[in-house]
Amino acid sequence: MSPTTDSPSIAFDNSYAALPPEFYQRLDPTPVSQPELIAVNETLARELGIDPAMLRSPDGIQMLAGNRIPDGAAPLAMAYAGHQFGNWVPQLGDGRAILLGEVMDRHGVRQDIQLKGAGPTAFSRGGDGRNWIGPVLREYVVSEAMAALGVPTTRALAAIKSGDHVLREQGPLPGAILTRVARSHIRVGTFQYFTARQNREAVEQLMHYVIDRHYPDAAQAQNPALALLDAVIDAQAALIAHWQSIGFIHGVMNTDNSSITGDTIDYGPCAFMDTYAADKVFSSIDRGARYAYQNQPRIAQWNLVNFAQCLLPFFDEDKEEAVRLAQESINRFDERFIGYYLSRMRAKLGLVDEKDEDLTLVSSLLELMQTHSLDFTLTFRQLSKRSATDPFAPGGSLHDWHRSWQRRVGEEPAALDAATQLMQRSNPVIIPRNHQVESMIDAAVKDGDFAPFEALLDAVTRPFDEAHEQSDLATPPAPDEVVTQTFCGT
Ligand code: AMP
Ligand code: MG
């Protein structure tokens, strides 16, 4: 079967494809044998100006499978490089993802529509270019949960089964394709790709492209390159602070998985913590614990240093001055991160005004949670929903801490009621817990049963809904259900 072209149903407006040819490989997805729809994100489709019924139609499914190239699409695989676990890899690129094209959403924001698992490209480096149901469902659920939690992220527009099998360590597995939507898929590694090739012109073009598309204010600044660096530092600081505040561990914070827009991108062995531990690592391939929970801010900054290096020639003609400006900017990461982190953590504790001792209050709570192996999500929730048996109650492990917190809240101008309301909108009842994610994947793979996927998706996309308090999906794992390791599984 070869791809066919049909009448237009998506208003593509492509800009990346207009960049010079060294930015990508133009190619069509490789068709699959028997595509079947798993899910369509109707709300997101409408936001993109795409008719959800079209996506569900036979033609729509063929398109989501890469079997049919819609009119106006300009399919391509993006070139990028990156540091993987600190090691430089000069060429990565979209090895299993193909950008169909871009659309303008309802808010006038340009959005990439990409098929992940659409077949091999020039960047596949021996890989099959495919994806299987496990990572597709995991990314669908976790990225949509993140969006519902208000965390900047790529989105899931659709998932299909390909009808083919892909071979992985575990044996043959059902193939699948995720349709991913992002404000763009440009990464720190995209800049690194051209810097490593000493292609100054391409770096400059990419820089202008990113400023135009994502940071138009930087164009007006006295030093646009420096303004861009500043804006990306700010977006990353805000993003990592948000991750920390919900116990999210990305797992593969390589520079090629570090987005220029400050969105969460590339959901691989990511995981939410159940019990709190600052040094928590889930990813089976992260043997040095480089991407442990507590390291995430430091790693983001390390990635930003690599980004800054790409822009150095544009900060100042004088090399020393350029380095000085970059350093100054990078040094502000900590302050910004702490600012965002504290504002998130204050909200979780129901605190409205800012006090110097707040960081100590937060840190001492986290230390106690670690000592007593308490559930991260539930502990914050219990603070606003006190019961006689929670750890904050007299005799509980957090009783003393609770007294100092109460004193602190008591100093607030806002009443306890307001604090409670703030806490309830800042502390999710439900997150995609690893044991639930895994059992949902098992049901789909072993029994072809997608009901657990649908139930989990429905629940985690209403994360602050109190109704979940009674739900099994919100409950921490029993000791024999605890997941200690997650796999890239690509
Ligand atoms: P990731 O660790 O998922 O961020 O991927 C790192 C690199 O490996 C990227 O260049 C991917 O495109 C590539 N890659 C991952 N899985 C596959 C696959 N199944 N086939 C081809 N390339 C892949
Ligand atoms: Mg990646």
Side-chain angles (χ1 to χ4, degrees), residues 11-14 44 47-48 99-114 153-155 180-185 213-214 263:
F12 284 106
D13 178 5
N14 307 320
L44 180 61
E47 271 177 41
L48 297 170
L99 177 70
L100 279 185
E102 300 146 34
V103 298
M104 303 304 284
D105 73 12
R106 284 200 168 164
H107 313 284
V109 179
R110 183 178 292 280
Q111 302 280 358
D112 280 6
I113 300 181
Q114 189 199 60
T153 178
T154 61
R155 303 289 305 270
R180 178 161 80 175
V181 173
R183 290 191 284 168
S184 88
H185 286 84
R213 181 167 175 179
H214 300 298
D263 287 333

PDB file of all heavy atoms in Angstrom, residues 11-14 44 47-48 99-114 153-155 180-185 213-214 263:
ATOM      1  N   ALA A  11      -6.353  22.419   8.189  1.00  0.00           N
ATOM      2  CA  ALA A  11      -5.811  23.648   7.602  1.00  0.00           C
ATOM      3  C   ALA A  11      -4.337  23.791   7.973  1.00  0.00           C
ATOM      4  O   ALA A  11      -3.976  24.565   8.854  1.00  0.00           O
ATOM      5  CB  ALA A  11      -6.616  24.851   8.098  1.00  0.00           C
ATOM      6  N   PHE A  12      -3.496  23.035   7.291  1.00  0.00           N
ATOM      7  CA  PHE A  12      -2.061  23.104   7.587  1.00  0.00           C
ATOM      8  C   PHE A  12      -1.496  24.455   7.198  1.00  0.00           C
ATOM      9  O   PHE A  12      -1.930  25.082   6.228  1.00  0.00           O
ATOM     10  CB  PHE A  12      -1.302  22.002   6.828  1.00  0.00           C
ATOM     11  CG  PHE A  12      -1.479  20.637   7.433  1.00  0.00           C
ATOM     12  CD1 PHE A  12      -2.281  19.687   6.821  1.00  0.00           C
ATOM     13  CD2 PHE A  12      -0.840  20.312   8.626  1.00  0.00           C
ATOM     14  CE1 PHE A  12      -2.439  18.427   7.378  1.00  0.00           C
ATOM     15  CE2 PHE A  12      -0.998  19.050   9.186  1.00  0.00           C
ATOM     16  CZ  PHE A  12      -1.802  18.102   8.560  1.00  0.00           C
ATOM     17  N   ASP A  13      -0.525  24.894   7.985  1.00  0.00           N
ATOM     18  CA  ASP A  13       0.159  26.155   7.706  1.00  0.00           C
ATOM     19  C   ASP A  13       1.603  25.923   8.157  1.00  0.00           C
ATOM     20  O   ASP A  13       1.953  26.164   9.305  1.00  0.00           O
ATOM     21  CB  ASP A  13      -0.521  27.268   8.520  1.00  0.00           C
ATOM     22  CG  ASP A  13       0.163  28.616   8.326  1.00  0.00           C
ATOM     23  OD1 ASP A  13       1.087  28.702   7.494  1.00  0.00           O
ATOM     24  OD2 ASP A  13      -0.221  29.576   9.023  1.00  0.00           O
ATOM     25  N   ASN A  14       2.417  25.393   7.257  1.00  0.00           N
ATOM     26  CA  ASN A  14       3.727  24.882   7.663  1.00  0.00           C
ATOM     27  C   ASN A  14       4.826  25.925   7.560  1.00  0.00           C
ATOM     28  O   ASN A  14       4.926  26.618   6.559  1.00  0.00           O
ATOM     29  CB  ASN A  14       4.092  23.679   6.799  1.00  0.00           C
ATOM     30  CG  ASN A  14       2.977  22.653   6.818  1.00  0.00           C
ATOM     31  OD1 ASN A  14       2.380  22.425   7.868  1.00  0.00           O
ATOM     32  ND2 ASN A  14       2.673  22.065   5.681  1.00  0.00           N
ATOM     33  N   LEU A  44      -9.133  18.477  22.391  1.00  0.00           N
ATOM     34  CA  LEU A  44      -7.919  19.022  21.774  1.00  0.00           C
ATOM     35  C   LEU A  44      -8.119  19.206  20.270  1.00  0.00           C
ATOM     36  O   LEU A  44      -7.703  20.223  19.708  1.00  0.00           O
ATOM     37  CB  LEU A  44      -6.724  18.094  22.055  1.00  0.00           C
ATOM     38  CG  LEU A  44      -5.382  18.542  21.478  1.00  0.00           C
ATOM     39  CD1 LEU A  44      -4.946  19.896  22.045  1.00  0.00           C
ATOM     40  CD2 LEU A  44      -4.295  17.492  21.742  1.00  0.00           C
ATOM     41  N   GLU A  47      -9.843  22.368  19.685  1.00  0.00           N
ATOM     42  CA  GLU A  47      -8.947  23.508  19.915  1.00  0.00           C
ATOM     43  C   GLU A  47      -8.036  23.755  18.724  1.00  0.00           C
ATOM     44  O   GLU A  47      -7.590  24.869  18.485  1.00  0.00           O
ATOM     45  CB  GLU A  47      -8.086  23.282  21.161  1.00  0.00           C
ATOM     46  CG  GLU A  47      -8.746  23.796  22.419  1.00  0.00           C
ATOM     47  CD  GLU A  47      -7.911  23.500  23.653  1.00  0.00           C
ATOM     48  OE1 GLU A  47      -6.680  23.638  23.591  1.00  0.00           O
ATOM     49  OE2 GLU A  47      -8.516  23.107  24.676  1.00  0.00           O
ATOM     50  N   LEU A  48      -7.760  22.673  17.993  1.00  0.00           N
ATOM     51  CA  LEU A  48      -6.877  22.798  16.828  1.00  0.00           C
ATOM     52  C   LEU A  48      -7.660  23.111  15.558  1.00  0.00           C
ATOM     53  O   LEU A  48      -7.085  23.186  14.474  1.00  0.00           O
ATOM     54  CB  LEU A  48      -6.092  21.493  16.639  1.00  0.00           C
ATOM     55  CG  LEU A  48      -5.139  21.104  17.779  1.00  0.00           C
ATOM     56  CD1 LEU A  48      -4.616  19.693  17.575  1.00  0.00           C
ATOM     57  CD2 LEU A  48      -3.984  22.090  17.883  1.00  0.00           C
ATOM     58  N   LEU A  99       6.823  14.716  11.502  1.00  0.00           N
ATOM     59  CA  LEU A  99       5.970  15.892  11.622  1.00  0.00           C
ATOM     60  C   LEU A  99       5.104  15.966  10.370  1.00  0.00           C
ATOM     61  O   LEU A  99       5.627  16.046   9.265  1.00  0.00           O
ATOM     62  CB  LEU A  99       6.869  17.136  11.722  1.00  0.00           C
ATOM     63  CG  LEU A  99       6.175  18.491  11.780  1.00  0.00           C
ATOM     64  CD1 LEU A  99       5.452  18.681  13.101  1.00  0.00           C
ATOM     65  CD2 LEU A  99       7.187  19.614  11.571  1.00  0.00           C
ATOM     66  N   LEU A 100       3.771  15.927  10.573  1.00  0.00           N
ATOM     67  CA  LEU A 100       2.888  16.055   9.405  1.00  0.00           C
ATOM     68  C   LEU A 100       2.861  17.493   8.921  1.00  0.00           C
ATOM     69  O   LEU A 100       2.857  17.776   7.731  1.00  0.00           O
ATOM     70  CB  LEU A 100       1.463  15.623   9.756  1.00  0.00           C
ATOM     71  CG  LEU A 100       1.132  14.128   9.764  1.00  0.00           C
ATOM     72  CD1 LEU A 100      -0.353  13.945  10.020  1.00  0.00           C
ATOM     73  CD2 LEU A 100       1.536  13.457   8.453  1.00  0.00           C
ATOM     74  N   GLY A 101       2.799  18.398   9.885  1.00  0.00           N
ATOM     75  CA  GLY A 101       2.739  19.813   9.550  1.00  0.00           C
ATOM     76  C   GLY A 101       2.274  20.602  10.757  1.00  0.00           C
ATOM     77  O   GLY A 101       2.181  20.071  11.863  1.00  0.00           O
ATOM     78  N   GLU A 102       1.994  21.883  10.534  1.00  0.00           N
ATOM     79  CA  GLU A 102       1.578  22.772  11.623  1.00  0.00           C
ATOM     80  C   GLU A 102       0.186  23.333  11.331  1.00  0.00           C
ATOM     81  O   GLU A 102      -0.186  23.493  10.166  1.00  0.00           O
ATOM     82  CB  GLU A 102       2.562  23.947  11.735  1.00  0.00           C
ATOM     83  CG  GLU A 102       3.982  23.508  12.031  1.00  0.00           C
ATOM     84  CD  GLU A 102       5.013  24.422  11.364  1.00  0.00           C
ATOM     85  OE1 GLU A 102       4.762  25.641  11.243  1.00  0.00           O
ATOM     86  OE2 GLU A 102       6.058  23.908  10.945  1.00  0.00           O
ATOM     87  N   VAL A 103      -0.546  23.607  12.411  1.00  0.00           N
ATOM     88  CA  VAL A 103      -1.831  24.300  12.278  1.00  0.00           C
ATOM     89  C   VAL A 103      -1.859  25.453  13.281  1.00  0.00           C
ATOM     90  O   VAL A 103      -1.127  25.442  14.268  1.00  0.00           O
ATOM     91  CB  VAL A 103      -3.038  23.364  12.580  1.00  0.00           C
ATOM     92  CG1 VAL A 103      -3.095  22.212  11.583  1.00  0.00           C
ATOM     93  CG2 VAL A 103      -2.997  22.833  14.007  1.00  0.00           C
ATOM     94  N   MET A 104      -2.702  26.441  13.012  1.00  0.00           N
ATOM     95  CA  MET A 104      -2.903  27.505  13.991  1.00  0.00           C
ATOM     96  C   MET A 104      -4.090  27.097  14.850  1.00  0.00           C
ATOM     97  O   MET A 104      -5.158  26.768  14.321  1.00  0.00           O
ATOM     98  CB  MET A 104      -3.203  28.832  13.282  1.00  0.00           C
ATOM     99  CG  MET A 104      -2.133  29.285  12.297  1.00  0.00           C
ATOM    100  SD  MET A 104      -0.475  29.434  13.011  1.00  0.00           S
ATOM    101  CE  MET A 104      -0.672  30.967  13.902  1.00  0.00           C
ATOM    102  N   ASP A 105      -3.910  27.086  16.176  1.00  0.00           N
ATOM    103  CA  ASP A 105      -5.031  26.682  17.034  1.00  0.00           C
ATOM    104  C   ASP A 105      -5.978  27.854  17.274  1.00  0.00           C
ATOM    105  O   ASP A 105      -5.767  28.961  16.763  1.00  0.00           O
ATOM    106  CB  ASP A 105      -4.534  26.027  18.337  1.00  0.00           C
ATOM    107  CG  ASP A 105      -3.936  27.032  19.315  1.00  0.00           C
ATOM    108  OD1 ASP A 105      -4.092  28.258  19.128  1.00  0.00           O
ATOM    109  OD2 ASP A 105      -3.308  26.575  20.298  1.00  0.00           O
ATOM    110  N   ARG A 106      -7.015  27.602  18.063  1.00  0.00           N
ATOM    111  CA  ARG A 106      -8.048  28.629  18.304  1.00  0.00           C
ATOM    112  C   ARG A 106      -7.531  29.890  18.959  1.00  0.00           C
ATOM    113  O   ARG A 106      -8.167  30.927  18.907  1.00  0.00           O
ATOM    114  CB  ARG A 106      -9.127  28.040  19.213  1.00  0.00           C
ATOM    115  CG  ARG A 106     -10.018  27.109  18.480  1.00  0.00           C
ATOM    116  CD  ARG A 106     -11.291  26.972  19.247  1.00  0.00           C
ATOM    117  NE  ARG A 106     -12.288  26.317  18.437  1.00  0.00           N
ATOM    118  CZ  ARG A 106     -13.386  25.787  18.929  1.00  0.00           C
ATOM    119  NH1 ARG A 106     -13.620  25.854  20.229  1.00  0.00           N
ATOM    120  NH2 ARG A 106     -14.253  25.219  18.142  1.00  0.00           N
ATOM    121  N   HIS A 107      -6.375  29.745  19.658  1.00  0.00           N
ATOM    122  CA  HIS A 107      -5.811  30.913  20.321  1.00  0.00           C
ATOM    123  C   HIS A 107      -4.760  31.584  19.448  1.00  0.00           C
ATOM    124  O   HIS A 107      -4.030  32.461  19.913  1.00  0.00           O
ATOM    125  CB  HIS A 107      -5.205  30.505  21.664  1.00  0.00           C
ATOM    126  CG  HIS A 107      -6.105  29.628  22.483  1.00  0.00           C
ATOM    127  ND1 HIS A 107      -7.192  30.126  23.160  1.00  0.00           N
ATOM    128  CD2 HIS A 107      -6.110  28.292  22.676  1.00  0.00           C
ATOM    129  CE1 HIS A 107      -7.826  29.128  23.748  1.00  0.00           C
ATOM    130  NE2 HIS A 107      -7.188  27.994  23.475  1.00  0.00           N
ATOM    131  N   GLY A 108      -4.671  31.128  18.195  1.00  0.00           N
ATOM    132  CA  GLY A 108      -3.689  31.724  17.280  1.00  0.00           C
ATOM    133  C   GLY A 108      -2.275  31.216  17.517  1.00  0.00           C
ATOM    134  O   GLY A 108      -1.317  31.823  17.046  1.00  0.00           O
ATOM    135  N   VAL A 109      -2.150  30.115  18.246  1.00  0.00           N
ATOM    136  CA  VAL A 109      -0.817  29.546  18.501  1.00  0.00           C
ATOM    137  C   VAL A 109      -0.532  28.447  17.482  1.00  0.00           C
ATOM    138  O   VAL A 109      -1.368  27.580  17.237  1.00  0.00           O
ATOM    139  CB  VAL A 109      -0.723  28.969  19.941  1.00  0.00           C
ATOM    140  CG1 VAL A 109       0.650  28.351  20.187  1.00  0.00           C
ATOM    141  CG2 VAL A 109      -1.033  30.037  20.972  1.00  0.00           C
ATOM    142  N   ARG A 110       0.651  28.521  16.904  1.00  0.00           N
ATOM    143  CA  ARG A 110       1.070  27.502  15.930  1.00  0.00           C
ATOM    144  C   ARG A 110       1.378  26.195  16.652  1.00  0.00           C
ATOM    145  O   ARG A 110       2.081  26.185  17.663  1.00  0.00           O
ATOM    146  CB  ARG A 110       2.311  28.039  15.208  1.00  0.00           C
ATOM    147  CG  ARG A 110       2.860  27.174  14.111  1.00  0.00           C
ATOM    148  CD  ARG A 110       4.060  27.845  13.442  1.00  0.00           C
ATOM    149  NE  ARG A 110       3.654  29.037  12.699  1.00  0.00           N
ATOM    150  CZ  ARG A 110       3.107  29.018  11.486  1.00  0.00           C
ATOM    151  NH1 ARG A 110       2.893  27.879  10.874  1.00  0.00           N
ATOM    152  NH2 ARG A 110       2.758  30.140  10.893  1.00  0.00           N
ATOM    153  N   GLN A 111       0.837  25.099  16.152  1.00  0.00           N
ATOM    154  CA  GLN A 111       1.029  23.796  16.811  1.00  0.00           C
ATOM    155  C   GLN A 111       1.508  22.757  15.806  1.00  0.00           C
ATOM    156  O   GLN A 111       0.959  22.646  14.707  1.00  0.00           O
ATOM    157  CB  GLN A 111      -0.305  23.302  17.415  1.00  0.00           C
ATOM    158  CG  GLN A 111      -0.949  24.235  18.425  1.00  0.00           C
ATOM    159  CD  GLN A 111      -0.336  24.136  19.830  1.00  0.00           C
ATOM    160  OE1 GLN A 111       0.575  23.331  20.071  1.00  0.00           O
ATOM    161  NE2 GLN A 111      -0.831  24.958  20.745  1.00  0.00           N
ATOM    162  N   ASP A 112       2.518  21.993  16.219  1.00  0.00           N
ATOM    163  CA  ASP A 112       3.009  20.857  15.410  1.00  0.00           C
ATOM    164  C   ASP A 112       2.066  19.672  15.567  1.00  0.00           C
ATOM    165  O   ASP A 112       1.619  19.381  16.677  1.00  0.00           O
ATOM    166  CB  ASP A 112       4.365  20.367  15.944  1.00  0.00           C
ATOM    167  CG  ASP A 112       5.538  21.219  15.486  1.00  0.00           C
ATOM    168  OD1 ASP A 112       5.313  22.261  14.845  1.00  0.00           O
ATOM    169  OD2 ASP A 112       6.677  20.815  15.798  1.00  0.00           O
ATOM    170  N   ILE A 113       1.828  18.967  14.464  1.00  0.00           N
ATOM    171  CA  ILE A 113       1.121  17.685  14.550  1.00  0.00           C
ATOM    172  C   ILE A 113       2.083  16.608  14.056  1.00  0.00           C
ATOM    173  O   ILE A 113       2.532  16.648  12.901  1.00  0.00           O
ATOM    174  CB  ILE A 113      -0.173  17.686  13.713  1.00  0.00           C
ATOM    175  CG1 ILE A 113      -1.099  18.782  14.238  1.00  0.00           C
ATOM    176  CG2 ILE A 113      -0.849  16.315  13.776  1.00  0.00           C
ATOM    177  CD1 ILE A 113      -2.416  18.873  13.499  1.00  0.00           C
ATOM    178  N   GLN A 114       2.403  15.697  14.949  1.00  0.00           N
ATOM    179  CA  GLN A 114       3.462  14.737  14.670  1.00  0.00           C
ATOM    180  C   GLN A 114       2.981  13.307  14.913  1.00  0.00           C
ATOM    181  O   GLN A 114       2.249  13.064  15.882  1.00  0.00           O
ATOM    182  CB  GLN A 114       4.634  15.059  15.618  1.00  0.00           C
ATOM    183  CG  GLN A 114       5.906  14.308  15.337  1.00  0.00           C
ATOM    184  CD  GLN A 114       6.848  14.316  16.533  1.00  0.00           C
ATOM    185  OE1 GLN A 114       6.519  13.832  17.610  1.00  0.00           O
ATOM    186  NE2 GLN A 114       8.038  14.862  16.341  1.00  0.00           N
ATOM    187  N   THR A 153       3.153  21.146  28.496  1.00  0.00           N
ATOM    188  CA  THR A 153       3.462  19.815  27.974  1.00  0.00           C
ATOM    189  C   THR A 153       3.039  19.658  26.524  1.00  0.00           C
ATOM    190  O   THR A 153       2.156  20.383  26.054  1.00  0.00           O
ATOM    191  CB  THR A 153       2.734  18.731  28.818  1.00  0.00           C
ATOM    192  OG1 THR A 153       3.018  17.429  28.270  1.00  0.00           O
ATOM    193  CG2 THR A 153       1.225  18.917  28.830  1.00  0.00           C
ATOM    194  N   THR A 154       3.635  18.682  25.840  1.00  0.00           N
ATOM    195  CA  THR A 154       3.103  18.230  24.569  1.00  0.00           C
ATOM    196  C   THR A 154       1.785  17.528  24.878  1.00  0.00           C
ATOM    197  O   THR A 154       1.537  17.120  26.017  1.00  0.00           O
ATOM    198  CB  THR A 154       4.062  17.226  23.895  1.00  0.00           C
ATOM    199  OG1 THR A 154       4.210  16.095  24.760  1.00  0.00           O
ATOM    200  CG2 THR A 154       5.427  17.851  23.631  1.00  0.00           C
ATOM    201  N   ARG A 155       0.929  17.394  23.875  1.00  0.00           N
ATOM    202  CA  ARG A 155      -0.380  16.790  24.105  1.00  0.00           C
ATOM    203  C   ARG A 155      -0.549  15.542  23.249  1.00  0.00           C
ATOM    204  O   ARG A 155       0.196  15.314  22.296  1.00  0.00           O
ATOM    205  CB  ARG A 155      -1.482  17.803  23.714  1.00  0.00           C
ATOM    206  CG  ARG A 155      -1.424  19.151  24.433  1.00  0.00           C
ATOM    207  CD  ARG A 155      -1.812  19.047  25.887  1.00  0.00           C
ATOM    208  NE  ARG A 155      -3.111  18.446  26.100  1.00  0.00           N
ATOM    209  CZ  ARG A 155      -4.268  19.094  26.163  1.00  0.00           C
ATOM    210  NH1 ARG A 155      -4.283  20.408  26.019  1.00  0.00           N
ATOM    211  NH2 ARG A 155      -5.405  18.453  26.388  1.00  0.00           N
ATOM    212  N   ARG A 180       1.077  13.331  18.318  1.00  0.00           N
ATOM    213  CA  ARG A 180       1.506  14.253  19.355  1.00  0.00           C
ATOM    214  C   ARG A 180       1.391  15.682  18.852  1.00  0.00           C
ATOM    215  O   ARG A 180       1.695  15.968  17.693  1.00  0.00           O
ATOM    216  CB  ARG A 180       2.954  13.925  19.721  1.00  0.00           C
ATOM    217  CG  ARG A 180       3.558  14.823  20.757  1.00  0.00           C
ATOM    218  CD  ARG A 180       4.767  14.182  21.397  1.00  0.00           C
ATOM    219  NE  ARG A 180       5.960  14.298  20.563  1.00  0.00           N
ATOM    220  CZ  ARG A 180       7.161  13.897  20.970  1.00  0.00           C
ATOM    221  NH1 ARG A 180       7.320  13.345  22.160  1.00  0.00           N
ATOM    222  NH2 ARG A 180       8.208  14.025  20.184  1.00  0.00           N
ATOM    223  N   VAL A 181       0.983  16.555  19.742  1.00  0.00           N
ATOM    224  CA  VAL A 181       0.835  17.970  19.412  1.00  0.00           C
ATOM    225  C   VAL A 181       1.767  18.765  20.324  1.00  0.00           C
ATOM    226  O   VAL A 181       1.831  18.493  21.521  1.00  0.00           O
ATOM    227  CB  VAL A 181      -0.636  18.409  19.606  1.00  0.00           C
ATOM    228  CG1 VAL A 181      -0.778  19.918  19.442  1.00  0.00           C
ATOM    229  CG2 VAL A 181      -1.540  17.675  18.619  1.00  0.00           C
ATOM    230  N   ALA A 182       2.494  19.712  19.734  1.00  0.00           N
ATOM    231  CA  ALA A 182       3.403  20.527  20.540  1.00  0.00           C
ATOM    232  C   ALA A 182       3.493  21.930  19.956  1.00  0.00           C
ATOM    233  O   ALA A 182       3.360  22.103  18.743  1.00  0.00           O
ATOM    234  CB  ALA A 182       4.796  19.904  20.558  1.00  0.00           C
ATOM    235  N   ARG A 183       3.767  22.899  20.821  1.00  0.00           N
ATOM    236  CA  ARG A 183       3.968  24.267  20.331  1.00  0.00           C
ATOM    237  C   ARG A 183       5.144  24.298  19.365  1.00  0.00           C
ATOM    238  O   ARG A 183       5.211  25.142  18.495  1.00  0.00           O
ATOM    239  CB  ARG A 183       4.217  25.212  21.511  1.00  0.00           C
ATOM    240  CG  ARG A 183       2.957  25.422  22.343  1.00  0.00           C
ATOM    241  CD  ARG A 183       3.150  26.537  23.328  1.00  0.00           C
ATOM    242  NE  ARG A 183       3.973  26.108  24.453  1.00  0.00           N
ATOM    243  CZ  ARG A 183       4.499  26.925  25.356  1.00  0.00           C
ATOM    244  NH1 ARG A 183       4.292  28.227  25.248  1.00  0.00           N
ATOM    245  NH2 ARG A 183       5.206  26.451  26.358  1.00  0.00           N
ATOM    246  N   SER A 184       6.091  23.378  19.566  1.00  0.00           N
ATOM    247  CA  SER A 184       7.079  23.015  18.544  1.00  0.00           C
ATOM    248  C   SER A 184       7.896  21.886  19.140  1.00  0.00           C
ATOM    249  O   SER A 184       7.853  21.645  20.342  1.00  0.00           O
ATOM    250  CB  SER A 184       7.974  24.181  18.124  1.00  0.00           C
ATOM    251  OG  SER A 184       9.112  24.270  18.958  1.00  0.00           O
ATOM    252  N   HIS A 185       8.632  21.203  18.279  1.00  0.00           N
ATOM    253  CA  HIS A 185       9.473  20.106  18.755  1.00  0.00           C
ATOM    254  C   HIS A 185      10.947  20.515  18.765  1.00  0.00           C
ATOM    255  O   HIS A 185      11.830  19.656  18.728  1.00  0.00           O
ATOM    256  CB  HIS A 185       9.261  18.868  17.888  1.00  0.00           C
ATOM    257  CG  HIS A 185       7.954  18.179  18.152  1.00  0.00           C
ATOM    258  ND1 HIS A 185       6.770  18.565  17.559  1.00  0.00           N
ATOM    259  CD2 HIS A 185       7.645  17.151  18.971  1.00  0.00           C
ATOM    260  CE1 HIS A 185       5.798  17.783  17.999  1.00  0.00           C
ATOM    261  NE2 HIS A 185       6.291  16.916  18.855  1.00  0.00           N
ATOM    262  N   ARG A 213       8.644  32.547  16.430  1.00  0.00           N
ATOM    263  CA  ARG A 213       7.545  31.627  16.735  1.00  0.00           C
ATOM    264  C   ARG A 213       7.182  31.609  18.209  1.00  0.00           C
ATOM    265  O   ARG A 213       6.007  31.495  18.555  1.00  0.00           O
ATOM    266  CB  ARG A 213       7.924  30.213  16.251  1.00  0.00           C
ATOM    267  CG  ARG A 213       6.832  29.187  16.488  1.00  0.00           C
ATOM    268  CD  ARG A 213       7.096  27.898  15.727  1.00  0.00           C
ATOM    269  NE  ARG A 213       6.105  26.877  16.065  1.00  0.00           N
ATOM    270  CZ  ARG A 213       6.076  25.657  15.549  1.00  0.00           C
ATOM    271  NH1 ARG A 213       6.993  25.291  14.671  1.00  0.00           N
ATOM    272  NH2 ARG A 213       5.147  24.792  15.916  1.00  0.00           N
ATOM    273  N   HIS A 214       8.207  31.698  19.079  1.00  0.00           N
ATOM    274  CA  HIS A 214       7.932  31.460  20.498  1.00  0.00           C
ATOM    275  C   HIS A 214       8.182  32.645  21.423  1.00  0.00           C
ATOM    276  O   HIS A 214       7.556  32.755  22.469  1.00  0.00           O
ATOM    277  CB  HIS A 214       8.769  30.278  20.999  1.00  0.00           C
ATOM    278  CG  HIS A 214       8.487  29.008  20.273  1.00  0.00           C
ATOM    279  ND1 HIS A 214       7.249  28.422  20.305  1.00  0.00           N
ATOM    280  CD2 HIS A 214       9.268  28.217  19.500  1.00  0.00           C
ATOM    281  CE1 HIS A 214       7.282  27.308  19.579  1.00  0.00           C
ATOM    282  NE2 HIS A 214       8.484  27.167  19.074  1.00  0.00           N
ATOM    283  N   ASP A 263       8.252  23.174  27.501  1.00  0.00           N
ATOM    284  CA  ASP A 263       7.203  22.171  27.675  1.00  0.00           C
ATOM    285  C   ASP A 263       7.830  20.847  28.095  1.00  0.00           C
ATOM    286  O   ASP A 263       8.974  20.567  27.754  1.00  0.00           O
ATOM    287  CB  ASP A 263       6.457  21.941  26.352  1.00  0.00           C
ATOM    288  CG  ASP A 263       5.547  23.106  25.986  1.00  0.00           C
ATOM    289  OD1 ASP A 263       5.088  23.803  26.914  1.00  0.00           O
ATOM    290  OD2 ASP A 263       5.308  23.326  24.785  1.00  0.00           O
TER     291      ASP A 263
END
